[in-house]
């Protein structure tokens, strides 16, 4: 741990990921598997020594070979992906649903004619018979929601840099990564078949100008469309709907289920590690039915308000800027630059659109915190009234009145012999509370 610098011993700076810390020493004795890892210099195990001789041989234990890292405390931004993957999923995937559902101009050339108020190619207040593009809409929404298993896959790969590379942990992580890959492939693969077969074959697509910002003529409906193409299109639409439902279900699953509990059997793990998780590391006090109901109601109110408000005021309001930036075309001969030629300037609309989408996604995240503050305040006020506590009482008054309340509620009894002043008695009780918190490691 020390090195000689200029004739002086200085503590060698080592990263936490390579230093055996207090937690690693503590966890060695948590499980029988850890105790079996205690070994001597010749790599023989302490547990192989007869029980009566083990205490005497403790002085010969090679602790450098016995201790091992149980968790690598790396300083990296990958913690955002590993520890908050569910937060990313419930925001990024839902934002993709909103944007693709709203941006129908990506997959429907006749999007302008679906608007009742539009006069492009039709009279105002009417909607002509137009091609059904639901197959492309649903498959594009579902394929984008594949970011949910992709985010979880990235979090699983990042987790491999934090846990020790032993057989148990690496096998569990690689199995989880493989299952995420299967979910991802099942979500994306149908799109490659649906997209080429997603255009409605009941209409004539030969006169559609895909370079135009919008179509000015109503498409011609065919009197005798090809029956094979119609059957393929109907099958593509049905598969797209199933693909979308599949993506929604897995998005919900990956948003609610912690990664450590994914794809694990419900039976209790009877080894030492499972015993620790049940009795110590993962032993959380269960909430009562009323408290659990209030907690669920709080988070349901937060996300319901957030998703409704974000659709109308973030996604829907972004439709027109998205549409015009996506459709804008700048001729390459009108834009040149010294180093990149026309590549940078001609794609300026996509660069701007990317930055605007990123900003909109950041606001989508911040909107959750806004509604958390709003609904947390509402529930806190309701809880205060339920407990009979005034929400207008300053904390200063609460603490200043505490000695009087301790004396009135605890000390002032009919058979009490007054030997000390009330302030002395209250201070003794308060000191006893603080000392007990120190003993229970609630204060340090």
């Amino acid at each position: 741990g020390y090195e000689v610098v200029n004739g002086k011993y200085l503590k060698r700076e080592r990263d936490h990921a390579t230093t055996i810390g207090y937690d690693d020493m503590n966890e060695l004795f948590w499980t029988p598997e850890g105790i079996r890892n205690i070994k001597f210099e010749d790599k023989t195990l302490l547990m192989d020594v007869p029980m009566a001789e083990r205490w005497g041989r403790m002085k010969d234990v090679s602790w450098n070979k016995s201790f091992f890292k149980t968790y690598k405390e790396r300083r990296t931004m990958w913690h955002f992906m590993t520890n908050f993957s569910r937060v990313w999923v419930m925001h990024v995937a839902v934002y993709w649903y909103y944007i693709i559902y709203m941006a129908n101009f990506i997959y429907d050339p006749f999007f302008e004619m679906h608007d009742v108020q539009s006069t492009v190619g039709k009279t105002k207040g009417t909607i002509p018979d137009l091609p059904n593009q639901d197959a492309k809409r649903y498959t594009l929404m579902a394929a984008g929601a594949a970011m949910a298993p992709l985010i979880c896959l990235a979090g699983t790969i990042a987790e491999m840099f934090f846990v020790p590379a032993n057989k148990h942990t690496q096998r569990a992580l690689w199995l989880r990564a493989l299952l995420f890959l299967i979910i991802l492939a099942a979500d994306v693969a149908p799109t490659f078949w649906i997209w080429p077969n997603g255009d409605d074959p009941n209409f004539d697509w030969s006169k559609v100008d895909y370079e135009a910002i919008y179509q000015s003529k109503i498409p011609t409906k065919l009197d005798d469309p090809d029956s094979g193409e119609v059957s393929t299109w109907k099958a593509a639409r049905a598969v797209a709907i199933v693909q979308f439902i599949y993506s929604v279900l897995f998005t919900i699953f990956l948003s609610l289920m912690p990664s450590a509990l994914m794809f694990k059997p419900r039976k209790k793990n009877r080894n030492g590690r499972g015993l620790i998780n049940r009795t110590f590391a993962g032993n959380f006090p269960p909430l009562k039915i009323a408290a659990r109901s209030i907690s669920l109601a709080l988070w349901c109110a937060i996300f319901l308000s957030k998703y409704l408000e974000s659709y109308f005021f973030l996604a829907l309001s972004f439709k027109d800027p998205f549409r015009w930036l996506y459709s804008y075309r700048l001729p390459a001969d009108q834009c040149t630059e010294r180093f990149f030629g026309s590549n940078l300037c001609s794609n300026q609309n996509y660069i701007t659109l990317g930055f605007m989408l990123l900003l909109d996604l950041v606001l989508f995240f911040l909107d959750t915190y806004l509604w958390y503050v709003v609904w947390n305040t509402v529930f806190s006020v309701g809880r205060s009234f339920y407990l009979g506590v005034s929400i207008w009482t300053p904390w200063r008054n609460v603490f200043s009145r505490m000695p009087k309340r301790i004396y009135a509620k605890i000390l002032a009894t009919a058979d009490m012999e007054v030997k000390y002043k009330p302030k002395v008695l209250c201070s003794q009780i308060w000191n006893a509370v603080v000392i007990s918190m120190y003993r229970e490691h609630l204060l340090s």
Side-chain angles (χ1 to χ4, degrees), residues 11-287:
K11 189 173 182 180
R12 182 184 292 111
E13 294 295 335
R14 299 180 63 185
D15 190 67
H16 283 273
T18 58
T19 303
I20 300 295
Y22 169 79
D23 291 332
D24 304 310
M25 296 180 183
N26 194 16
E27 292 181 31
L28 180 71
F29 301 95
W30 279 7
T31 61
E33 293 83 3
I35 295 176
R36 293 191 192 101
N37 194 62
I38 300 176
K39 56 177 69 76
F40 304 106
E41 288 290 346
D42 57 357
K43 297 184 179 181
T44 58
L45 302 179
L46 176 66
M47 298 302 290
D48 293 339
V49 177
M51 185 179 298
E53 302 176 12
R54 290 173 187 172
W55 174 251
R57 294 292 307 276
M58 288 291 288
K59 66 180 185 302
D60 301 325
V61 170
S62 175
W63 296 111
N64 290 333
K65 295 181 179 179
S66 301
F67 288 119
F68 57 90
K69 291 294 294 182
T70 58
Y71 182 81
K72 299 178 181 179
E73 303 88 347
R74 299 183 186 273
R75 297 180 178 92
T76 173
M77 297 297 289
W78 280 104
H79 286 289
F80 280 106
M81 192 61 66
T82 301
N83 300 328
F84 302 101
S85 59
R86 289 190 292 165
V87 178
W88 286 100
V89 168
M90 66 179 60
H91 285 82
V92 175
V94 175
Y95 182 75
W96 178 273
Y97 286 141
Y98 284 173
I99 289 298
I100 297 303
Y101 180 81
M102 169 269 302
N104 55 351
F105 47 84
I106 297 178
Y107 44 82
D108 188 0
F110 306 98
F111 67 93
E112 192 74 29
M113 299 181 185
H114 286 279
D115 187 0
V116 179
Q117 302 300 323
S118 176
T119 58
V120 176
K122 65 183 184 66
T123 58
K124 185 177 181 179
T126 62
I127 298 181
D129 193 6
L130 297 170
N132 188 326
Q133 295 296 96
D134 287 345
K136 286 191 171 183
R137 164 177 281 183
Y138 287 120
T139 191
L140 194 58
M141 292 172 66
M147 287 184 291
L150 184 62
I151 290 171
C152 293
L153 176 62
T156 301
I157 295 175
E159 190 175 350
M160 297 178 183
F161 295 96
F162 302 117
V163 297
N166 56 46
K167 180 180 179 181
H168 174 73
T169 57
Q170 293 298 318
R171 182 177 59 183
L173 291 176
W174 280 112
L175 177 60
R176 193 194 309 166
L178 177 61
L179 292 173
F180 283 140
L181 279 174
I182 295 174
I183 296 172
L184 176 64
D187 199 353
V188 175
T191 303
F192 293 96
W193 176 76
I194 296 172
W195 192 262
N197 301 295
D199 291 327
D200 192 345
N202 294 302
F203 290 83
D204 182 14
W205 292 85
S206 61
K207 299 180 180 179
V208 176
D209 184 8
Y210 290 98
E211 295 296 327
I213 297 178
Y214 51 80
Q215 307 299 315
S216 58
K217 295 182 180 180
I218 299 175
T220 303
K221 190 169 186 179
L222 302 178
D223 295 329
D224 187 21
D226 186 272
S227 58
E229 293 182 357
V230 172
S231 300
T232 303
W233 169 71
K234 289 182 178 179
R237 185 175 60 177
V239 173
I241 294 174
V242 174
Q243 180 190 11
F244 174 70
I245 296 174
Y246 169 87
S247 70
V248 170
L249 292 177
F250 265 102
T251 299
I252 295 174
F253 172 75
L254 297 177
S255 299
L256 299 180
M257 181 64 67
S259 59
L261 300 180
M262 287 182 184
F263 317 119
K264 283 189 175 182
R266 302 300 296 177
K267 64 180 182 180
K268 291 185 177 181
N269 190 358
R270 299 187 179 276
N271 60 17
R273 179 60 60 180
L275 180 64
I276 289 170
N277 291 333
R278 292 195 305 272
T279 59
F280 182 65
N283 186 14
F284 301 101
L287 293 176

Side-chain angles (χ1 to χ4, degrees), residues 201-379:
N202 294 302
F203 290 83
D204 182 14
W205 292 85
S206 61
K207 299 180 180 179
V208 176
D209 184 8
Y210 290 98
E211 295 296 327
I213 297 178
Y214 51 80
Q215 307 299 315
S216 58
K217 295 182 180 180
I218 299 175
T220 303
K221 190 169 186 179
L222 302 178
D223 295 329
D224 187 21
D226 186 272
S227 58
E229 293 182 357
V230 172
S231 300
T232 303
W233 169 71
K234 289 182 178 179
R237 185 175 60 177
V239 173
I241 294 174
V242 174
Q243 180 190 11
F244 174 70
I245 296 174
Y246 169 87
S247 70
V248 170
L249 292 177
F250 265 102
T251 299
I252 295 174
F253 172 75
L254 297 177
S255 299
L256 299 180
M257 181 64 67
S259 59
L261 300 180
M262 287 182 184
F263 317 119
K264 283 189 175 182
R266 302 300 296 177
K267 64 180 182 180
K268 291 185 177 181
N269 190 358
R270 299 187 179 276
N271 60 17
R273 179 60 60 180
L275 180 64
I276 289 170
N277 291 333
R278 292 195 305 272
T279 59
F280 182 65
N283 186 14
F284 301 101
L287 293 176
K288 296 182 180 179
I289 295 179
R292 182 181 292 271
S293 301
I294 293 175
S295 177
L296 291 174
L298 171 64
W299 287 106
C300 287
I302 290 172
F303 280 101
L304 180 62
S305 303
K306 179 256 185 326
Y307 287 143
L308 289 175
E309 184 262 345
S310 295
Y311 174 76
F312 289 104
F313 292 95
L314 283 179
L316 197 60
S317 63
F318 191 64
K319 180 177 183 178
D320 289 335
F322 192 176
R323 166 192 164 186
W324 288 109
L325 284 172
Y326 179 80
S327 305
Y328 180 74
R329 299 289 184 272
L330 183 66
D333 56 352
Q334 298 182 12
C335 175
T336 57
E337 198 268 334
R338 178 179 178 182
F339 298 101
F340 301 98
S342 61
N343 294 325
L344 182 63
C345 187
S346 59
N347 294 308
Q348 188 66 30
N349 58 319
Y350 296 117
I351 297 173
T352 306
L353 179 60
F355 281 115
M356 293 181 68
L357 283 170
L358 180 61
L359 176 61
D360 206 43
L361 180 60
V362 171
L363 295 176
F364 194 78
F365 273 90
L366 294 177
D367 208 34
T368 306
Y369 180 69
L370 169 66
W371 284 108
Y372 172 78
V373 172
V374 172
W375 280 109
N376 195 40
T377 303
V378 172
F379 275 73

